[in-house]
């Protein structure tokens, strides 16, 4: 039953990766880049067709291991390129002549990297949207505290009144939280960019061995 679910899920994911439907951006998108939660395969990959590889790459334990290594977010570009090069050379005779299976191995490798990157990009975009929604909630809370303070002031309550102290404290705390979170917006927006850059140089490195 589990294997059937994996196969169905794999087909579902693969279908969506190729769909590349135009997406309607949310009302509040905080990032400079155009809203697009899906990686464009055509823009990243100029090699052979990988439809079948996207369905089957995960069946190869060796590929899974290398894909996981290359998907590590703290991995540097130089380290990633070395891993790909070592992997490609592993499937050659003395590093000179490609073995028969090398092409399919490399296609499976890119397919795994692309699929994992696509899934992560979707999660990143969802995270950004949730972040913005949370900011809206905090902003509304600040507004409510400010409104309550104005009402209490009109009633003649001084700054030492318990209710005034309570709402002033709430507004001050939420304002600090809001400002601190705002500083993280740029970082969050850069994450999908870095992800796309990484799958881009990985694709070019893999293609360099396929073109030889």
């Amino acid at each position: 039953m589990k294997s059937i679910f994996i196969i169905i899920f794999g087909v579902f994911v693969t279908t969506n990766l190729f769909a590349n439907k135009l997406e309607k951006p949310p009302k509040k998108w905080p990032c400079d880049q155009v809203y697009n939660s899906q990686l464009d395969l055509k823009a990243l990959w100029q090699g052979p067709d990988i439809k079948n590889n996207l369905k089957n790459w995960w069946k190869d334990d060796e590929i899974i291991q290398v894909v996981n290594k290359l998907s590590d977010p703290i991995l540097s570009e130089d380290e990633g390129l070395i891993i790909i090069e070592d992997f490609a050379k592993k499937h050659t005779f003395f590093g000179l002549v490609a073995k028969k299976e090398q092409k399919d191995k490399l296609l499976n490798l890119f397919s795994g990297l692309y699929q994992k990157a696509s899934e992560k990009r979707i999660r990143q975009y969802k995270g950004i949207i949730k972040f913005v929604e949370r900011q809206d909630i905090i902003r509304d809370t600040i507004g409510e505290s400010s409104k309550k303070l104005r009402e209490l002031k009109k009633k003649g309550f001084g700054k030492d009144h318990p209710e005034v102290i309570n709402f002033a404290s709430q507004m001050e705390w939420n304002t600090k939280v809001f400002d601190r979170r705002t500083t993280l917006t740029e970082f969050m927006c850069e994450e999908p960019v870095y992800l796309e850059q990484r799958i881009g140089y990985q694709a070019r490195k893999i293609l360099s061995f396929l073109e030889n």
Side-chain angles (χ1 to χ4, degrees), residues 92-126:
T92 64
F93 295 104
F94 308 108
L96 300 172
V97 181
K99 293 181 179 179
K100 185 178 179 181
E101 76 272 10
Q102 190 201 59
K103 179 180 178 180
D104 204 47
K105 287 278 187 179
L106 289 170
L107 292 178
N108 279 338
L109 177 61
F110 174 72
S111 297
L113 291 170
Y114 175 72
Q115 191 170 83
K116 284 184 75 74
S118 295
E119 292 166 357
K120 185 170 184 178
R121 184 182 176 96
I122 290 170
R123 292 196 299 272
Q124 288 173 336
Y125 271 57
K126 287 181 178 179

Short mmCIF file of all heavy atoms in Angstrom, two decimals, residues 92-126:
data_model
loop_
_atom_site.label_atom_id
_atom_site.label_comp_id
_atom_site.label_asym_id
_atom_site.label_seq_id
_atom_site.Cartn_x
_atom_site.Cartn_y
_atom_site.Cartn_z
N THR A 92 32.83 6.42 -15.05
CA THR A 92 33.68 6.42 -16.25
C THR A 92 34.76 5.34 -16.08
O THR A 92 34.95 4.81 -14.99
CB THR A 92 34.39 7.78 -16.44
OG1 THR A 92 35.28 8.01 -15.32
CG2 THR A 92 33.40 8.93 -16.55
N PHE A 93 35.45 5.07 -17.16
CA PHE A 93 36.63 4.19 -17.11
C PHE A 93 37.86 5.07 -16.93
O PHE A 93 38.23 5.83 -17.84
CB PHE A 93 36.73 3.36 -18.38
CG PHE A 93 35.60 2.38 -18.57
CD1 PHE A 93 34.59 2.64 -19.49
CD2 PHE A 93 35.54 1.21 -17.83
CE1 PHE A 93 33.55 1.74 -19.67
CE2 PHE A 93 34.50 0.31 -18.00
CZ PHE A 93 33.51 0.58 -18.93
N PHE A 94 38.45 5.02 -15.73
CA PHE A 94 39.65 5.77 -15.40
C PHE A 94 39.47 7.28 -15.59
O PHE A 94 40.44 8.01 -15.87
CB PHE A 94 40.84 5.28 -16.25
CG PHE A 94 41.03 3.79 -16.19
CD1 PHE A 94 40.72 2.99 -17.28
CD2 PHE A 94 41.52 3.19 -15.04
CE1 PHE A 94 40.89 1.62 -17.23
CE2 PHE A 94 41.69 1.81 -14.98
CZ PHE A 94 41.37 1.03 -16.07
N GLY A 95 38.24 7.76 -15.47
CA GLY A 95 37.98 9.19 -15.61
C GLY A 95 38.08 9.70 -17.02
O GLY A 95 38.05 10.92 -17.24
N LEU A 96 38.14 8.81 -17.99
CA LEU A 96 38.33 9.23 -19.38
C LEU A 96 37.13 8.92 -20.28
O LEU A 96 36.68 9.77 -21.04
CB LEU A 96 39.59 8.56 -19.95
CG LEU A 96 40.90 8.88 -19.22
CD1 LEU A 96 42.03 8.00 -19.77
CD2 LEU A 96 41.24 10.36 -19.39
N VAL A 97 36.64 7.72 -20.19
CA VAL A 97 35.55 7.29 -21.07
C VAL A 97 34.30 6.99 -20.24
O VAL A 97 34.37 6.22 -19.27
CB VAL A 97 35.95 6.02 -21.88
CG1 VAL A 97 34.82 5.61 -22.81
CG2 VAL A 97 37.23 6.29 -22.66
N ALA A 98 33.19 7.59 -20.63
CA ALA A 98 31.96 7.41 -19.87
C ALA A 98 31.44 5.98 -19.99
O ALA A 98 31.46 5.39 -21.08
CB ALA A 98 30.89 8.37 -20.37
N LYS A 99 31.00 5.43 -18.88
CA LYS A 99 30.36 4.13 -18.91
C LYS A 99 28.94 4.28 -19.48
O LYS A 99 28.38 5.38 -19.51
CB LYS A 99 30.29 3.54 -17.50
CG LYS A 99 31.66 3.18 -16.91
CD LYS A 99 31.52 2.57 -15.52
CE LYS A 99 32.89 2.21 -14.95
NZ LYS A 99 32.78 1.63 -13.59
N LYS A 100 28.37 3.19 -19.88
CA LYS A 100 27.06 3.20 -20.53
C LYS A 100 25.99 3.84 -19.65
O LYS A 100 25.11 4.56 -20.14
CB LYS A 100 26.66 1.77 -20.89
CG LYS A 100 25.37 1.67 -21.67
CD LYS A 100 25.07 0.23 -22.04
CE LYS A 100 23.76 0.12 -22.81
NZ LYS A 100 23.44 -1.29 -23.17
N GLU A 101 26.08 3.60 -18.34
CA GLU A 101 25.02 4.07 -17.45
C GLU A 101 25.19 5.53 -17.03
O GLU A 101 24.31 6.10 -16.37
CB GLU A 101 24.95 3.20 -16.19
CG GLU A 101 26.04 3.45 -15.16
CD GLU A 101 27.30 2.62 -15.39
OE1 GLU A 101 27.41 1.99 -16.47
OE2 GLU A 101 28.16 2.59 -14.50
N GLN A 102 26.31 6.17 -17.40
CA GLN A 102 26.57 7.52 -16.89
C GLN A 102 25.48 8.53 -17.27
O GLN A 102 25.03 9.31 -16.44
CB GLN A 102 27.92 8.05 -17.39
CG GLN A 102 28.33 9.34 -16.68
CD GLN A 102 29.35 10.15 -17.46
OE1 GLN A 102 29.07 10.55 -18.59
NE2 GLN A 102 30.50 10.41 -16.85
N LYS A 103 25.05 8.50 -18.51
CA LYS A 103 24.04 9.47 -18.96
C LYS A 103 22.77 9.36 -18.12
O LYS A 103 22.25 10.38 -17.63
CB LYS A 103 23.70 9.25 -20.43
CG LYS A 103 22.63 10.21 -20.95
CD LYS A 103 22.31 9.96 -22.42
CE LYS A 103 21.19 10.90 -22.88
NZ LYS A 103 20.84 10.69 -24.32
N ASP A 104 22.27 8.16 -17.94
CA ASP A 104 21.03 7.98 -17.19
C ASP A 104 21.23 8.36 -15.72
O ASP A 104 20.33 8.91 -15.09
CB ASP A 104 20.54 6.53 -17.30
CG ASP A 104 19.03 6.44 -17.07
OD1 ASP A 104 18.28 7.25 -17.66
OD2 ASP A 104 18.60 5.58 -16.29
N LYS A 105 22.41 8.07 -15.19
CA LYS A 105 22.71 8.44 -13.81
C LYS A 105 22.68 9.97 -13.64
O LYS A 105 22.13 10.49 -12.68
CB LYS A 105 24.10 7.91 -13.41
CG LYS A 105 24.17 6.41 -13.19
CD LYS A 105 23.69 6.04 -11.80
CE LYS A 105 23.92 4.58 -11.49
NZ LYS A 105 23.49 4.21 -10.12
N LEU A 106 23.26 10.67 -14.60
CA LEU A 106 23.31 12.13 -14.53
C LEU A 106 21.92 12.74 -14.71
O LEU A 106 21.57 13.72 -14.05
CB LEU A 106 24.27 12.68 -15.59
CG LEU A 106 25.75 12.42 -15.32
CD1 LEU A 106 26.59 12.79 -16.54
CD2 LEU A 106 26.23 13.20 -14.10
N LEU A 107 21.12 12.14 -15.59
CA LEU A 107 19.75 12.63 -15.78
C LEU A 107 18.93 12.39 -14.52
O LEU A 107 18.11 13.24 -14.13
CB LEU A 107 19.10 11.94 -16.98
CG LEU A 107 19.69 12.29 -18.36
CD1 LEU A 107 18.96 11.50 -19.45
CD2 LEU A 107 19.57 13.78 -18.64
N ASN A 108 19.13 11.24 -13.89
CA ASN A 108 18.43 10.96 -12.63
C ASN A 108 18.88 11.93 -11.54
O ASN A 108 18.06 12.37 -10.73
CB ASN A 108 18.70 9.52 -12.18
CG ASN A 108 17.82 8.52 -12.90
OD1 ASN A 108 16.77 8.87 -13.41
ND2 ASN A 108 18.26 7.27 -12.95
N LEU A 109 20.17 12.25 -11.54
CA LEU A 109 20.69 13.17 -10.53
C LEU A 109 20.04 14.54 -10.68
O LEU A 109 19.55 15.11 -9.69
CB LEU A 109 22.21 13.30 -10.68
CG LEU A 109 22.87 14.30 -9.72
CD1 LEU A 109 22.64 13.90 -8.27
CD2 LEU A 109 24.37 14.40 -10.02
N PHE A 110 20.00 15.07 -11.88
CA PHE A 110 19.37 16.38 -12.06
C PHE A 110 17.88 16.31 -11.74
O PHE A 110 17.33 17.24 -11.13
CB PHE A 110 19.56 16.92 -13.48
CG PHE A 110 18.80 18.20 -13.69
CD1 PHE A 110 19.23 19.37 -13.11
CD2 PHE A 110 17.62 18.21 -14.42
CE1 PHE A 110 18.51 20.55 -13.25
CE2 PHE A 110 16.89 19.38 -14.58
CZ PHE A 110 17.34 20.56 -13.99
N SER A 111 17.24 15.22 -12.14
CA SER A 111 15.80 15.08 -11.87
C SER A 111 15.50 15.14 -10.38
O SER A 111 14.56 15.80 -9.94
CB SER A 111 15.28 13.76 -12.45
OG SER A 111 15.43 13.74 -13.86
N GLY A 112 16.33 14.45 -9.60
CA GLY A 112 16.15 14.47 -8.15
C GLY A 112 16.39 15.85 -7.57
O GLY A 112 15.63 16.32 -6.72
N LEU A 113 17.44 16.51 -8.05
CA LEU A 113 17.75 17.85 -7.57
C LEU A 113 16.64 18.83 -7.93
O LEU A 113 16.23 19.67 -7.11
CB LEU A 113 19.08 18.33 -8.18
CG LEU A 113 20.33 17.61 -7.69
CD1 LEU A 113 21.54 18.00 -8.55
CD2 LEU A 113 20.60 17.92 -6.22
N TYR A 114 16.14 18.72 -9.15
CA TYR A 114 15.09 19.63 -9.60
C TYR A 114 13.79 19.40 -8.82
O TYR A 114 13.13 20.36 -8.41
CB TYR A 114 14.84 19.43 -11.10
CG TYR A 114 13.67 20.24 -11.61
CD1 TYR A 114 13.76 21.62 -11.75
CD2 TYR A 114 12.48 19.62 -11.94
CE1 TYR A 114 12.70 22.36 -12.20
CE2 TYR A 114 11.39 20.36 -12.40
CZ TYR A 114 11.52 21.73 -12.53
OH TYR A 114 10.43 22.47 -12.97
N GLN A 115 13.45 18.14 -8.60
CA GLN A 115 12.22 17.85 -7.88
C GLN A 115 12.28 18.34 -6.44
O GLN A 115 11.35 18.98 -5.94
CB GLN A 115 11.92 16.35 -7.91
CG GLN A 115 10.52 16.01 -7.40
CD GLN A 115 10.17 14.56 -7.65
OE1 GLN A 115 10.54 13.69 -6.88
NE2 GLN A 115 9.45 14.30 -8.74
N LYS A 116 13.40 18.09 -5.77
CA LYS A 116 13.55 18.55 -4.38
C LYS A 116 13.56 20.07 -4.30
O LYS A 116 12.96 20.67 -3.39
CB LYS A 116 14.83 17.97 -3.76
CG LYS A 116 14.71 16.50 -3.38
CD LYS A 116 15.97 16.02 -2.68
CE LYS A 116 16.05 16.51 -1.25
NZ LYS A 116 15.12 15.80 -0.36
N ALA A 117 14.24 20.72 -5.26
CA ALA A 117 14.28 22.18 -5.27
C ALA A 117 12.90 22.76 -5.53
O ALA A 117 12.52 23.77 -4.93
CB ALA A 117 15.27 22.67 -6.34
N SER A 118 12.13 22.12 -6.42
CA SER A 118 10.78 22.60 -6.73
C SER A 118 9.88 22.51 -5.52
O SER A 118 9.11 23.43 -5.22
CB SER A 118 10.19 21.77 -7.89
OG SER A 118 10.92 21.97 -9.07
N GLU A 119 9.98 21.40 -4.80
CA GLU A 119 9.16 21.21 -3.60
C GLU A 119 9.55 22.21 -2.52
O GLU A 119 8.68 22.77 -1.83
CB GLU A 119 9.31 19.77 -3.09
CG GLU A 119 8.71 18.73 -4.04
CD GLU A 119 9.15 17.32 -3.71
OE1 GLU A 119 9.98 17.14 -2.78
OE2 GLU A 119 8.69 16.38 -4.39
N LYS A 120 10.86 22.46 -2.40
CA LYS A 120 11.32 23.41 -1.38
C LYS A 120 10.88 24.83 -1.73
O LYS A 120 10.50 25.61 -0.85
CB LYS A 120 12.84 23.36 -1.25
CG LYS A 120 13.37 24.26 -0.14
CD LYS A 120 14.84 24.02 0.14
CE LYS A 120 15.30 24.86 1.31
NZ LYS A 120 16.72 24.61 1.65
N ARG A 121 10.92 25.18 -3.01
CA ARG A 121 10.51 26.53 -3.43
C ARG A 121 9.03 26.77 -3.09
O ARG A 121 8.67 27.85 -2.63
CB ARG A 121 10.74 26.70 -4.93
CG ARG A 121 10.42 28.12 -5.43
CD ARG A 121 10.64 28.18 -6.93
NE ARG A 121 10.28 29.46 -7.50
CZ ARG A 121 11.14 30.45 -7.75
NH1 ARG A 121 12.41 30.31 -7.42
NH2 ARG A 121 10.74 31.58 -8.32
N ILE A 122 8.20 25.76 -3.30
CA ILE A 122 6.78 25.89 -2.96
C ILE A 122 6.63 26.14 -1.46
O ILE A 122 5.84 27.00 -1.04
CB ILE A 122 6.01 24.63 -3.38
CG1 ILE A 122 5.92 24.54 -4.91
CG2 ILE A 122 4.59 24.63 -2.78
CD1 ILE A 122 5.40 23.22 -5.43
N ARG A 123 7.39 25.41 -0.65
CA ARG A 123 7.34 25.60 0.81
C ARG A 123 7.82 27.00 1.19
O ARG A 123 7.26 27.63 2.09
CB ARG A 123 8.18 24.55 1.53
CG ARG A 123 7.64 23.12 1.43
CD ARG A 123 8.29 22.22 2.46
NE ARG A 123 9.72 22.13 2.29
CZ ARG A 123 10.33 21.25 1.50
NH1 ARG A 123 9.62 20.38 0.80
NH2 ARG A 123 11.65 21.22 1.41
N GLN A 124 8.86 27.47 0.50
CA GLN A 124 9.38 28.81 0.79
C GLN A 124 8.33 29.88 0.52
O GLN A 124 8.14 30.80 1.32
CB GLN A 124 10.63 29.08 -0.06
CG GLN A 124 11.87 28.31 0.38
CD GLN A 124 13.03 28.48 -0.57
OE1 GLN A 124 12.84 28.78 -1.75
NE2 GLN A 124 14.24 28.30 -0.09
N TYR A 125 7.65 29.76 -0.60
CA TYR A 125 6.64 30.76 -0.96
C TYR A 125 5.46 30.72 0.01
O TYR A 125 4.93 31.76 0.40
CB TYR A 125 6.16 30.53 -2.40
CG TYR A 125 6.99 31.28 -3.42
CD1 TYR A 125 8.37 31.10 -3.51
CD2 TYR A 125 6.40 32.20 -4.28
CE1 TYR A 125 9.13 31.79 -4.42
CE2 TYR A 125 7.16 32.90 -5.21
CZ TYR A 125 8.53 32.69 -5.27
OH TYR A 125 9.29 33.40 -6.19
N LYS A 126 5.06 29.52 0.40
CA LYS A 126 3.99 29.41 1.39
C LYS A 126 4.42 30.04 2.71
O LYS A 126 3.62 30.69 3.39
CB LYS A 126 3.62 27.94 1.61
CG LYS A 126 2.84 27.33 0.45
CD LYS A 126 2.48 25.88 0.75
CE LYS A 126 1.65 25.27 -0.38
NZ LYS A 126 1.32 23.85 -0.12
#
